Amino acid sequence: MNKALLTITITLFLLFSGLAQAASSEVNVYSSRKEALVKPLLDKFTAETGIKVNLVTGKDDALITRLQKEGKRSPADLLITADAGRLYRAKQANLLQVINSDAVNSNVPAHLRDAENYWVGLTMRARPIFYVKEKVQASELSTYEALTASKWAGRICIRSSSNIYNQSLIASVIAADGETAAEAFVAGLVKNFARPPAGGDTDQLKAAAAGMCDIAIANTYYFGRLATSNKAQDQQVVNKLGVFWPNQQGRGTHVNVSGIGITQAAKNVPAATQLIEFMLTQQAQTWYAEVNNEYPVVTGVAPSATLTSWGEFKADATNLTKLGELNRRAVEVMDRAGWK
């Protein structure tokens, strides 16, 4: 090899080595969590590891669609999104790859991560019953299924059947009781609606506090946002409502997660895995769960004082993968019952 060719070879080697090193020091994240709810944690990861995190935020379904359109050209290494149903969709669309991490498997209970390790929960939320304390006694409540009783006619607020949170709730009923029982439950529930479904979970809570219904079904972190708000009108809503944990003598209260997965197109799997492991450390779990008003997924990490004030509860331990698998059947059940 002559001197000139050797020089070119060495130059190209150094160039590509430099590019590879630069790529390995960055990780790209698509997140449906708002920047303020996740970026400080990502910045801390950068400060501790030197790995730069590039964050893109957007709506859950829009980010999944974006990944599908980008295909192998996608710059994303990680996807953060809410609900096991959506994470299942991403997996089925071949947008995720297996997370190979002993730390993930040992820190997060099996039911809060994909059965084949394509995604893992970062925070947990529950979907309990909220009741107007002036109109309902906690002793009147027991299970989700008991809300089909005639005494609750015209008294229940809940959002649309197109919402993934409700679809996952009904999928959990199918997993526990079978489709026939779920069909009867949904039909009875719809008959007891106080109004046609409208708005999000916060709207259901506010409607109950405003006297439009006596019962609302919503995710805990929406109530947590109101509870930690400085607005007087939000505190009024919180003061009027109680939290009831249904199905405590049976399968437990329905829970779900916000979760994370490594994309199929990921260019930097080691750094992506390292970031996931960081987000599941005790310190990160405490901060992330408190800021998002959700429950930590790592065993032994205590929830925030706000969530603790609502009391302990037994959570449904069904593997959340089932919620994705049963999503289509849940939607069909809801459609047949006329849940708009």
Side-chain angles (χ1 to χ4, degrees), residues 2 23 43 62 98 110 156 166 218 238 244 277 282 297 314 316 326 335:
N2 61 45
D43 289 343
V98 171
I156 298 173
N166 284 335
V238 171
F244 182 82
E277 293 173 345
Q282 182 169 345
V297 295
K314 176 184 176 181
D316 187 343
L326 295 171
D335 286 346

Side-chain angles (χ1 to χ4, degrees), residues 36-280:
L37 301 180
V38 67
K39 192 174 187 303
L41 190 58
L42 302 181
D43 289 343
K44 184 171 179 58
F45 171 75
T46 297
E48 291 189 8
T49 65
I51 299 173
K52 180 182 178 182
V53 181
N54 302 306
L55 177 65
V56 173
T57 59
K59 298 292 186 181
D60 300 89
D61 294 329
L63 290 175
I64 291 175
T65 299
R66 178 172 176 172
L67 282 171
Q68 288 177 305
K69 290 181 177 179
E70 291 174 341
K72 294 181 180 179
R73 301 187 305 276
S74 177
D77 296 297
L78 290 163
L79 171 67
I80 298 175
T81 190
D83 200 278
R86 286 197 185 96
L87 290 160
Y88 179 82
R89 289 178 192 170
K91 173 186 173 182
Q92 291 301 104
N94 199 32
L95 299 177
L96 304 178
Q97 60 178 283
V98 171
I99 302 169
N100 292 302
S101 169
D102 291 337
V104 169
N105 295 340
S106 61
N107 285 335
V108 181
H111 69 285
L112 298 179
R113 48 189 166 88
D114 177 60
E116 298 177 318
N117 292 326
Y118 278 83
W119 53 262
V120 61
L122 292 176
T123 54
M124 185 181 78
R125 69 281 298 271
R127 197 164 182 77
I129 297 170
F130 295 89
Y131 62 96
V132 179
K133 290 185 284 188
E134 291 182 353
K135 298 181 179 180
V136 178
Q137 297 295 317
S139 59
E140 298 180 74
L141 300 167
S142 57
T143 65
Y144 294 110
E145 291 83 354
L147 293 178
T148 62
S150 59
K151 68 176 293 182
W152 301 115
R155 302 176 70 184
I156 298 173
C157 283
I158 191 168
R159 68 197 291 180
S160 169
S161 63
S162 64
N163 173 250
I164 189 69
Y165 306 150
N166 284 335
Q167 293 171 7
S168 289
L169 171 62
I170 303 310
S172 75
V173 176
I174 295 174
D177 302 328
E179 190 166 336
T180 300
E183 190 115 30
F185 164 64
V186 173
L189 189 68
V190 170
K191 288 181 180 179
N192 289 343
F193 285 176
R195 60 176 187 171
D201 277 14
T202 302
D203 297 304
Q204 315 311 314
L205 297 170
K206 290 182 176 180
M212 298 179 66
C213 50
D214 300 334
I215 294 289
I217 297 177
N219 280 353
T220 43
Y221 68 92
Y222 291 100
F223 194 61
R225 288 180 188 174
L226 296 174
T228 56
S229 169
N230 294 322
K231 297 179 180 179
Q233 58 267 39
D234 291 341
Q235 291 304 314
Q236 290 172 2
V237 172
V238 171
N239 291 335
K240 289 184 177 182
L241 302 179
V243 183
F244 182 82
W245 305 109
N247 296 77
Q248 292 303 281
Q249 303 306 312
R251 67 181 181 276
T253 298
H254 171 63
V255 296
N256 213 309
V257 292
S258 68
I260 191 168
I262 301 174
T263 68
Q264 190 67 247
K267 309 301 188 296
N268 194 350
V269 173
T273 304
Q274 192 173 347
L275 178 53
I276 293 175
E277 293 173 345
F278 171 81
M279 295 185 79
L280 294 172

